[in-house]
Amino acid sequence: MKLARQIGLPKLPAAFSLIRRFRALPFPYRAPSTPRGVRPLRPKARTGADYDTAWSRRTPARMARAAIIEGPMRLAVSGLAAPDRRGTDRLAATSGPVIFAANHHSHLDTPLLLTSIPEPWRHKMIVGAAADYFFGTRITATLSSLIIGAIPIERTKVGRRSADLAAELIGDGWSLLIFPEGGRSPDGWGQPFRGGAAFLASKTGVPVVPIHLEGTGRILRKGRALPSPSTTSVTFGRPITPADGENATRFAARIEREVAALADEASSDWYSARVRAHASESPTLTGPAANGWRRAWALGDRSRSGRSRKRSWPNL
Amino acid sequence: MASDPRRSAPRPGLVLDVDRSTPPVLFHHGEGFRLEKLPADRSRIIYPAEPLPGLPDPDESIRQALLNPIDDDPLPELLTPNMKLTIAFDDISLPLPSMRKPDIRQRIIEQVLDMAAAAGVDDIHLIAALALHRRMTEDELRHALGDRVYDAFAPQGAIYNHDAEDPDGMVELGLTRHDEQVTMNARAAESDLLIYVNLNIVSMDGGWKSTATGLSGYSGIRHHHNVATMQKSKSFMDRHKSELHHSNWRQGEVIKANGPRIFQIETTINNNTFGYDGPMSVLQKREWEWTAKDRATFIGMKKGLDVMPKAAKRAVFNGWKAPYELTSVQAGDVEKVHEVTLEHCFKQHLVPVEGQTDVLTFGLPYICPYNVNSVMNPILVMCLGLGYFFNMYRGRPLVREGGVLIMSHPTPWEFHPVHHPSYIDFFEQVLADTTDPLELEAKYEKQFAEDEWYIHLYRNSYAYHGVHPFYMWYWGASALQHLGRVIIVGGDERAVHRLGFQRASTMQDALEMASDVVGPRPSITHLHNPPILMADVT
């Protein structure tokens, strides 16, 4: 300060002076320092599964999220993914919260679903998101909570915290969107379904709506940074509930079979898919047991049929 | 939802005696509305019952009906892998207006097909049982069946409209004990199992009429769609007093003996035509219960409709999909199933009414079974008024013999050229000659029924059969015989006169004209329909 005065710098404004005085205040007016001989307590974790998302379910955040979903997100999804949405009529007789369980290929899956799931669920929705990925830093956690209504789900360690939070929110009337595979597909084929959705359905008594997504992997598959527009389809299945005596593992397997049957329906036709489903012959989501190129090769057989959005050749 | 008393505790129908404090009453008037003040102390208004609660889990109710049919085996037991299965379903004429997705037919057919898939049935055809009605378009089929069913079967040509004029597509099943011919769609007749998916909006539908009429052709239908039968049906909404139904039931006996095994699935819906919320909900409320919001909505809607071009008005009304709810579903033996269906139908529609009236009034809405996505031409105005609304009774007609019927409708001289080509000629040529049902039946019916051009349009375009306008006229034959005069308020003068009726500019004028026939100070009854009601007149 003396030096500043000597070289003729102007005097600091009053605010700076106030901060200096505040810092000079003694304990208890300021935080205590830690004695050198003790080990300080670990700071309270504010990321990962410990991130508190309660603020993102209050009215201002919900309104902001609704505006984002119905505005830029819907615009981006229709521009990038041109979704063909089927089967929403299967939800006609359903009311109250539900768990939407979908296969997972891309980061685009969540925006696609948030703009496809019909009302009254769309704007009272929480999304199960990987705690280690989406909630890794304060910034990503805040953005995930605000934009998609994410709640952290532990996928790398066993803990009840995520499940308890999800169950509590479902009990409060929120619907949950979850990807039971636990992560995006690494090679275009699905991964075995984990038991989270089934466990929550058993615990809360709400139905699970299986959903099959097709085409998002072509737009933004795992490992790619920039999207490339393509067409997609979203097929909603009939809501299902655990049967008497059906445990979470078996119910998870049934959810996977339902999604596989929807995948079959999307790539062939509904009746043929039902015939195969009843005969337990629906093609699996996880693809052939072979490794390497044969899995990639087999992917090519799953061509999409039905009404194509663009005709590249005159229909003679 | 449950807290809304209209949903949890719907009120039954009501007969209101009009007094000086009764507000003006709503008359449907085509694609518009009128509010009319009825004379106090001698008028009464019959209001429909509020919508009965829908089944809480329609899909589960359908499943239970298929698994526990009435006097038949559970559906899965009737399905075998190598069988020939045909599913016939009611056409675009039901329900009115079209219902919101998913349509009941879709809900049922998906469950039936799911059971067929479990049994591994490959040979399945789905047929729109439209008799002599126009063919359904792809959009209409998709609406009724859903995209899943349509996309699975239409590419193989396994979903189609019944064609009553296909020489190779019809078979004769025999004669009834009254020598009535029985014909049926060949695919349906030759199937191992015929599943009929019905949707009952009024008590006239269903039973043997579904297959004996819906899958039949002119040679079979003419035995009950004729003037003599209709004049003996009092009314054709009361199956047990309807000659139309007696004839269909006789044809049913022949189908039972010589036709396919039939598994009948019948459903009823409630009266929730215009919804509990939204702009149209006011049409479902009793006038003295209209809130400020209802009144503002009605005024806005009426003023808007008054200035809208006709095409825009039609688009608005045709775009309305009713939020009907399923109130019952039963399956199994045709006759036993139908008796249960009728009970549910009457539970929603019947309103007890004491005594007949001198003058019956009602407003005709924009839609009838034969102008879905189309134009309500003058012949259909006659059919809806004198055929359907007049016959919405059980016991005795609401209006006494020799009484006057006053209906409200613009009755424009306008026809849909694609849907109703034979109607145009019927109106121009036949009605210009005579309006007597017996005379026009004898003189012109055969010519129209066998006209090659009309048959071509019926088979390949989207036209009603050449004979259809005759049936529309026969539909009103009983009322024509019964009534002393028919007056249309606000109708097109030339069109109304061509129909053989009288036109009035206002309700007051119409009531004065009516007093020429029924005397001064006649008793008046107004049928507040739709939502649908049926008077149980004692």
Side-chain angles (χ1 to χ4, degrees):
Chain A
M1 198 57 78
K2 279 181 184 172
L3 177 68
R5 232 178 275 143
Q6 281 169 1
I7 58 174
L9 282 176
K11 210 176 171 184
L12 283 170
F16 282 92
S17 165
L18 269 176
I19 291 168
R20 206 171 57 236
R21 283 188 191 180
F22 181 76
R23 281 184 176 169
L25 283 172
F27 179 79
Y29 297 102
R30 58 167 299 178
S33 55
T34 308
R36 286 186 184 174
V38 297
R39 197 170 171 181
L41 286 171
R42 275 180 65 185
K44 195 182 169 191
R46 293 190 175 180
T47 56
D50 297 311
Y51 182 81
D52 185 2
T53 55
W55 66 272
S56 68
R57 291 181 291 279
R58 296 200 183 105
T59 306
R62 285 179 67 183
M63 288 173 70
R65 184 154 61 247
I68 293 168
I69 290 172
E70 299 304 335
M73 190 182 285
R74 184 170 291 284
L75 203 65
V77 164
S78 58
L80 280 174
D84 178 9
R85 300 174 174 108
R86 305 169 184 188
T88 48
D89 54 302
R90 285 168 166 151
L91 308 180
T94 307
S95 57
V98 295
I99 297 170
F100 294 95
N103 59 325
H104 198 17
H105 287 275
S106 164
H107 280 321
L108 192 68
D109 292 346
T110 305
L112 177 58
L113 284 170
L114 288 177
T115 52
S116 299
I117 288 170
E119 286 287 30
W121 301 282
R122 187 190 306 151
H123 294 304
K124 198 165 185 193
M125 173 84 66
I126 48 173
V127 179
D132 54 307
Y133 188 92
F134 288 93
F135 291 86
T137 67
R138 296 273 294 166
I139 293 173
T140 57
T142 306
L143 289 175
S144 303
S145 308
L146 174 66
I147 297 171
I148 61 172
I151 60 162
I153 301 283
E154 285 286 7
R155 58 176 181 176
T156 52
K157 61 184 178 188
V158 178
R160 289 185 52 183
R161 191 187 170 94
S162 307
D164 287 346
L165 174 64
E168 187 187 322
L169 291 174
I170 290 169
D172 288 344
W174 290 80
S175 291
L176 172 69
L177 168 61
I178 194 165
F179 298 102
E181 290 167 85
R184 289 166 293 156
S185 162
D187 61 358
W189 287 105
Q191 304 168 81
F193 276 28
R194 300 182 187 191
F199 171 73
L200 284 170
S202 307
K203 187 170 178 177
T204 58
V206 302
V208 174
V209 176
I211 303 174
H212 176 254
L213 301 174
E214 195 275 337
T216 50
R218 288 194 297 271
I219 298 171
L220 187 66
R221 66 169 184 266
K222 190 174 183 178
R224 260 172 67 169
L226 288 175
S228 140
S230 182
T231 54
T232 55
S233 75
V234 185
T235 312
F236 291 86
R238 209 172 279 286
I240 52 173
T241 46
D244 286 340
E246 189 176 35
N247 63 23
T249 313
R250 282 191 200 151
F251 187 44
R254 184 149 70 93
I255 297 170
E256 186 176 343
R257 284 199 301 277
E258 289 290 331
V259 177
L262 293 174
D264 192 14
E265 179 183 321
S267 63
S268 59
D269 68 76
W270 173 75
Y271 188 69
S272 312
R274 292 310 300 160
V275 170
R276 282 190 287 272
H278 281 293
S280 303
E281 290 171 357
S282 300
T284 62
L285 290 174
T286 49
N291 288 324
W293 69 272
R294 285 169 59 197
R295 280 176 67 78
W297 189 263
L299 263 182
D301 293 338
R302 311 185 90 206
S303 60
R304 197 165 159 252
S305 69
R307 287 166 293 158
S308 60
R309 300 183 65 86
K310 289 175 190 168
R311 235 184 254 290
S312 56
W313 192 257
N315 187 10
L316 300 173
Chain B
M1 191 180 278
S3 60
D4 188 336
R6 286 177 299 163
R7 299 192 193 194
S8 52
R11 294 175 294 181
L14 167 75
V15 180
L16 175 81
D17 289 319
V18 174
D19 59 30
R20 286 176 193 283
S21 59
T22 305
V25 62
L26 174 77
F27 278 67
H28 286 262
H29 187 74
E31 289 103 4
F33 309 100
R34 297 172 76 103
L35 286 175
E36 300 286 356
K37 190 95 181 156
L38 293 177
D41 305 325
R42 59 190 171 97
S43 306
R44 58 186 181 172
I45 303 169
I46 310 175
Y47 284 93
E50 289 179 339
L52 294 173
L55 293 171
D57 187 347
D59 290 329
E60 181 55 24
S61 303
I62 292 167
R63 206 174 78 86
Q64 288 304 326
L66 301 180
L67 295 177
N68 304 294
I70 301 170
D71 211 18
D72 208 337
D73 298 324
L75 182 59
E77 290 179 18
L78 305 178
L79 302 168
T80 52
N82 298 316
M83 74 184 308
K84 199 183 243 191
L85 174 64
T86 298
I87 301 170
F89 54 91
D90 282 338
D91 76 340
I92 185 78
S93 58
L94 291 164
L96 296 175
S98 303
M99 71 185 298
R100 285 183 192 166
K101 283 185 169 186
D103 192 285
I104 287 170
R105 284 162 286 207
Q106 176 191 342
R107 283 179 185 269
I108 293 172
I109 289 173
E110 281 195 1
Q111 293 218 30
V112 168
L113 287 172
D114 207 29
M115 290 178 181
V121 184
D122 290 324
D123 187 0
I124 301 177
H125 282 211
L126 293 108
I127 305 175
L130 47 81
L132 303 177
H133 296 173
R134 73 169 172 85
R135 299 187 312 132
M136 290 171 78
T137 64
E138 179 183 333
D139 276 352
E140 290 163 350
L141 286 167
R142 280 186 183 278
H143 187 87
L145 302 174
D147 288 335
R148 283 188 292 280
V149 174
Y150 191 86
D151 287 333
F153 290 90
Q156 295 104 50
I159 292 181
Y160 48 88
N161 292 292
H162 166 65
D163 181 354
E165 291 291 347
D166 180 0
D168 303 322
M170 297 294 293
V171 290
E172 279 216 20
L173 294 180
L175 294 174
T176 69
R177 49 195 157 86
H178 287 203
D179 280 340
E180 296 146 315
Q181 276 172 286
V182 183
T183 58
M184 191 181 239
N185 180 290
R187 162 73 200 197
E190 288 155 11
S191 294
D192 298 309
L193 180 66
L194 170 62
I195 298 177
Y196 195 95
V197 181
N198 145 286
L199 208 166
N200 256 61
I201 187 169
V202 289
S203 51
M204 183 191 69
D205 311 320
W208 281 114
K209 190 172 170 291
S210 299
T211 40
T213 298
L215 292 169
S216 185
Y218 174 63
S219 56
I221 292 173
R222 68 194 167 96
H223 294 290
H224 37 73
H225 281 52
N226 56 53
V227 181
T229 304
M230 298 316 292
Q231 287 182 340
K232 274 193 252 171
S233 299
K234 300 196 186 271
S235 84
F236 59 69
M237 293 290 171
D238 182 1
R239 186 194 86 63
H240 298 285
K241 290 192 175 170
S242 162
E243 187 53 36
L244 170 78
H245 288 82
H246 294 159
S247 175
N248 271 284
W249 257 243
R250 287 192 295 272
Q251 292 184 325
E253 288 169 13
V254 177
I255 295 173
K256 214 170 179 177
N258 305 334
R261 178 169 187 174
I262 296 176
F263 187 85
Q264 181 90 355
I265 306 169
E266 297 202 351
T267 59
T268 53
I269 51 177
N270 65 6
N271 246 351
N272 194 12
T273 313
F274 301 112
Y276 297 104
D277 312 300
M280 303 280 255
S281 61
V282 64
L283 305 178
Q284 207 158 283
K285 291 182 180 174
R286 298 166 184 179
E287 288 80 0
W288 63 93
E289 292 173 348
W290 288 10
T291 62
K293 188 182 162 198
D294 291 330
R295 295 196 304 275
T297 309
F298 180 79
I299 292 166
M301 189 159 61
K302 186 170 179 336
K303 297 286 176 199
L305 289 167
D306 287 347
V307 297
M308 256 188 213
K310 268 184 194 169
K313 279 197 273 195
R314 282 196 190 117
V316 168
F317 278 101
N318 283 327
W320 175 254
K321 303 291 177 213
Y324 290 126
E325 293 157 289
L326 184 70
T327 53
S328 79
V329 51
Q330 38 281 331
D333 176 75
V334 177
E335 289 167 31
K336 287 178 182 158
V337 161
H338 189 60
E339 288 306 314
V340 181
T341 304
L342 287 180
E343 277 173 33
H344 286 282
C345 222
F346 288 147
K347 202 169 155 191
Q348 173 70 85
H349 294 150
L350 275 186
V351 180
V353 179
E354 276 183 34
Q356 292 178 304
T357 183
D358 297 321
V359 177
L360 175 64
T361 65
F362 45 70
L364 295 179
Y366 65 100
I367 198 167
C368 82
Y370 316 108
N371 76 315
V372 179
N373 302 324
S374 188
V375 175
M376 178 98 128
N377 62 52
I379 299 161
L380 293 178
V381 170
M382 184 275 192
C383 174
L384 182 63
L386 276 71
Y388 282 88
F389 280 30
F390 173 85
N391 278 287
M392 293 304 283
Y393 70 85
R394 192 168 78 167
R396 297 186 291 165
L398 259 173
V399 58
R400 69 170 169 83
E401 193 161 359
V404 174
L405 173 62
I406 299 175
M407 7 189 232
S408 163
H409 193 275
T411 325
W413 187 305
E414 201 180 352
F415 295 82
H416 195 296
V418 174
H419 295 161
H420 302 121
S422 62
Y423 281 64
I424 300 171
D425 294 340
F426 179 87
F427 197 67
E428 300 277 3
Q429 185 191 340
V430 178
L431 288 186
D433 180 23
T434 178
T435 56
D436 176 14
L438 280 168
E439 192 181 339
L440 58 84
E441 179 184 41
K443 209 165 162 185
Y444 294 102
E445 182 190 299
K446 199 167 183 321
Q447 175 197 332
F448 273 66
E450 293 174 358
D451 186 290
E452 289 295 325
W453 178 240
Y454 295 144
I455 290 174
H456 170 78
L457 294 177
Y458 160 78
R459 297 192 64 196
N460 301 295
S461 177
Y462 292 95
Y464 281 82
H465 194 276
V467 77
H468 205 261
F470 288 82
Y471 292 168
M472 298 299 93
W473 203 257
Y474 305 161
W475 233 232
S478 175
L480 281 176
Q481 197 181 31
H482 183 87
L483 294 166
R485 182 171 287 179
V486 178
I487 302 167
I488 301 184
V489 177
D492 176 274
E493 185 135 23
R494 285 168 60 233
V496 172
H497 285 158
R498 176 59 59 88
L499 294 172
F501 306 149
Q502 292 192 341
R503 181 203 181 261
S505 304
T506 63
M507 184 55 67
Q508 197 54 44
D509 288 353
L511 289 172
E512 284 196 17
M513 288 158 72
S515 62
D516 294 345
V517 178
V518 291
R521 291 187 58 81
S523 60
I524 301 163
T525 298
H526 177 64
L527 197 68
H528 204 288
N529 188 4
I532 291 171
L533 74 89
M534 189 168 161
D536 195 5
V537 186
T538 50

